[in-house]
Coordinates of all heavy atoms in Angstrom, one line a residue:
G329 N 3.9 -73.3 -11.1 CA 3.8 -73.9 -12.5 C 4.5 -73.1 -13.6 O 4.3 -73.5 -14.7
L330 N 5.2 -72.0 -13.2 CA 5.8 -71.2 -14.3 C 7.3 -71.4 -14.2 O 7.9 -71.5 -13.1 CB 5.5 -69.7 -14.1 CG 4.0 -69.3 -14.5 CD1 3.8 -67.8 -14.2 CD2 3.7 -69.6 -15.9
V331 N 8.0 -71.3 -15.3 CA 9.4 -71.3 -15.4 C 9.9 -70.1 -16.3 O 9.1 -69.7 -17.2 CB 10.0 -72.6 -15.9 CG1 9.8 -73.7 -15.0 CG2 9.5 -72.9 -17.3
Q332 N 11.0 -69.6 -16.1 CA 11.6 -68.5 -16.9 C 12.5 -69.1 -17.9 O 13.5 -69.7 -17.6 CB 12.3 -67.5 -16.0 CG 11.3 -66.8 -15.1 CD 11.9 -65.5 -14.4 OE1 13.0 -65.1 -14.8 NE2 11.1 -64.9 -13.5
L333 N 12.2 -68.8 -19.2 CA 12.9 -69.4 -20.3 C 13.7 -68.3 -21.0 O 13.1 -67.3 -21.5 CB 11.9 -70.1 -21.3 CG 12.5 -70.9 -22.4 CD1 13.3 -72.1 -21.9 CD2 11.3 -71.4 -23.3
A334 N 15.0 -68.5 -21.1 CA 15.8 -67.5 -21.7 C 16.0 -67.8 -23.2 O 16.4 -68.9 -23.6 CB 17.2 -67.4 -21.1
L335 N 15.6 -66.9 -24.1 CA 15.7 -67.1 -25.5 C 16.7 -66.2 -26.2 O 16.6 -65.0 -26.0 CB 14.3 -66.9 -26.2 CG 13.2 -67.7 -25.6 CD1 11.9 -67.3 -26.2 CD2 13.4 -69.2 -25.9
P336 N 17.7 -66.7 -26.9 CA 18.7 -65.9 -27.6 C 18.1 -65.3 -28.9 O 17.7 -66.1 -29.8 CB 19.8 -66.8 -27.8 CG 19.2 -68.2 -28.0 CD 18.0 -68.2 -27.1
V337 N 18.1 -64.0 -29.0 CA 17.5 -63.4 -30.2 C 18.6 -62.4 -30.7 O 19.1 -61.6 -30.0 CB 16.2 -62.6 -29.8 CG1 15.6 -62.0 -31.1 CG2 15.2 -63.5 -29.2
Q338 N 18.8 -62.4 -32.0 CA 19.7 -61.4 -32.6 C 19.1 -60.0 -32.4 O 17.9 -59.8 -32.6 CB 20.0 -61.8 -34.1 CG 20.9 -63.0 -34.2 CD 21.4 -63.1 -35.7 OE1 21.4 -62.1 -36.4 NE2 21.9 -64.2 -36.0
A339 N 20.0 -59.1 -32.1 CA 19.5 -57.7 -31.7 C 18.6 -57.1 -32.8 O 17.7 -56.4 -32.5 CB 20.7 -56.8 -31.5
G340 N 18.9 -57.3 -34.0 CA 18.1 -56.7 -35.1 C 16.7 -57.3 -35.2 O 15.9 -56.7 -35.9
Y341 N 16.4 -58.4 -34.5 CA 15.1 -59.0 -34.6 C 14.4 -59.0 -33.3 O 13.4 -59.7 -33.1 CB 15.3 -60.5 -35.1 CG 15.9 -60.5 -36.5 CD1 17.3 -60.6 -36.6 CD2 15.1 -60.4 -37.6 CE1 17.9 -60.6 -37.9 CE2 15.7 -60.4 -38.9 CZ 17.1 -60.5 -39.0 OH 17.7 -60.5 -40.2
A342 N 14.8 -58.1 -32.4 CA 14.1 -57.8 -31.2 C 13.8 -56.3 -31.2 O 14.7 -55.5 -31.5 CB 14.9 -58.1 -29.9
P343 N 12.6 -55.8 -31.0 CA 12.3 -54.4 -31.1 C 13.2 -53.6 -30.2 O 13.4 -54.0 -29.0 CB 10.8 -54.3 -30.7 CG 10.3 -55.7 -31.0 CD 11.4 -56.6 -30.8
P344 N 13.6 -52.4 -30.6 CA 14.5 -51.6 -29.7 C 13.8 -51.2 -28.4 O 14.5 -50.9 -27.4 CB 14.9 -50.4 -30.6 CG 13.8 -50.3 -31.7 CD 13.4 -51.8 -31.9
G345 N 12.5 -51.1 -28.4 CA 11.8 -50.7 -27.2 C 11.4 -51.9 -26.4 O 10.6 -51.7 -25.4
L346 N 11.8 -53.1 -26.7 CA 11.4 -54.3 -25.9 C 11.8 -54.1 -24.4 O 12.9 -53.8 -24.1 CB 12.1 -55.5 -26.5 CG 11.7 -56.8 -25.9 CD1 10.3 -57.1 -26.2 CD2 12.6 -58.0 -26.4
A347 N 10.8 -54.3 -23.6 CA 11.0 -54.1 -22.1 C 10.3 -55.1 -21.3 O 9.3 -55.7 -21.8 CB 10.6 -52.7 -21.8
R348 N 10.7 -55.2 -20.1 CA 10.0 -56.0 -19.1 C 8.5 -55.7 -19.0 O 8.2 -54.5 -19.0 CB 10.7 -55.8 -17.8 CG 10.0 -56.4 -16.6 CD 10.8 -56.2 -15.3 NE 10.0 -56.5 -14.2 CZ 9.8 -57.8 -13.7 NH1 10.4 -58.8 -14.4 NH2 9.1 -58.0 -12.7
G349 N 7.7 -56.7 -18.9 CA 6.3 -56.5 -18.6 C 5.5 -56.4 -19.9 O 4.2 -56.3 -19.9
Q350 N 6.1 -56.5 -21.1 CA 5.4 -56.4 -22.3 C 4.9 -57.8 -22.7 O 5.5 -58.8 -22.3 CB 6.2 -55.8 -23.5 CG 6.5 -54.4 -23.3 CD 7.4 -53.8 -24.4 OE1 8.3 -54.5 -24.9 NE2 7.1 -52.6 -24.9
A351 N 3.9 -57.9 -23.5 CA 3.4 -59.1 -24.1 C 3.9 -59.3 -25.5 O 3.9 -58.4 -26.3 CB 1.8 -59.1 -24.1
V352 N 4.5 -60.5 -25.7 CA 5.2 -60.7 -27.0 C 4.8 -62.1 -27.6 O 4.4 -63.0 -26.9 CB 6.7 -60.7 -26.8 CG1 7.2 -59.3 -26.4 CG2 7.2 -61.8 -25.9
D353 N 5.0 -62.2 -28.9 CA 5.0 -63.5 -29.6 C 6.4 -63.7 -30.1 O 7.1 -62.8 -30.5 CB 4.0 -63.4 -30.8 CG 2.6 -63.2 -30.4 OD1 2.2 -63.8 -29.3 OD2 1.8 -62.6 -31.1
V354 N 6.8 -65.0 -30.1 CA 8.2 -65.3 -30.5 C 8.0 -66.3 -31.7 O 7.3 -67.4 -31.5 CB 9.0 -65.9 -29.4 CG1 10.4 -66.3 -29.9 CG2 9.1 -65.0 -28.2
Y355 N 8.6 -66.0 -32.8 CA 8.6 -66.9 -34.0 C 10.0 -67.4 -34.3 O 11.0 -66.8 -34.1 CB 8.2 -66.0 -35.2 CG 6.7 -65.6 -35.2 CD1 6.4 -64.4 -34.5 CD2 5.7 -66.3 -35.7 CE1 5.1 -63.9 -34.5 CE2 4.4 -65.9 -35.7 CZ 4.1 -64.7 -35.1 OH 2.8 -64.2 -35.0
A356 N 10.0 -68.7 -34.7 CA 11.2 -69.4 -35.1 C 11.2 -69.3 -36.7 O 10.2 -69.6 -37.3 CB 11.2 -70.8 -34.7
V357 N 12.4 -68.9 -37.2 CA 12.5 -68.7 -38.7 C 13.7 -69.5 -39.1 O 14.8 -69.3 -38.6 CB 12.7 -67.2 -39.0 CG1 12.8 -67.0 -40.5 CG2 11.5 -66.4 -38.5

Side-chain angles (χ1 to χ4, degrees):
L330 290 177
V331 295
Q332 296 193 4
L333 189 62
L335 302 175
V337 182
Q338 288 195 15
Y341 299 92
L346 185 64
R348 168 182 170 77
Q350 291 181 320
V352 298
D353 296 326
V354 181
Y355 292 88
V357 180

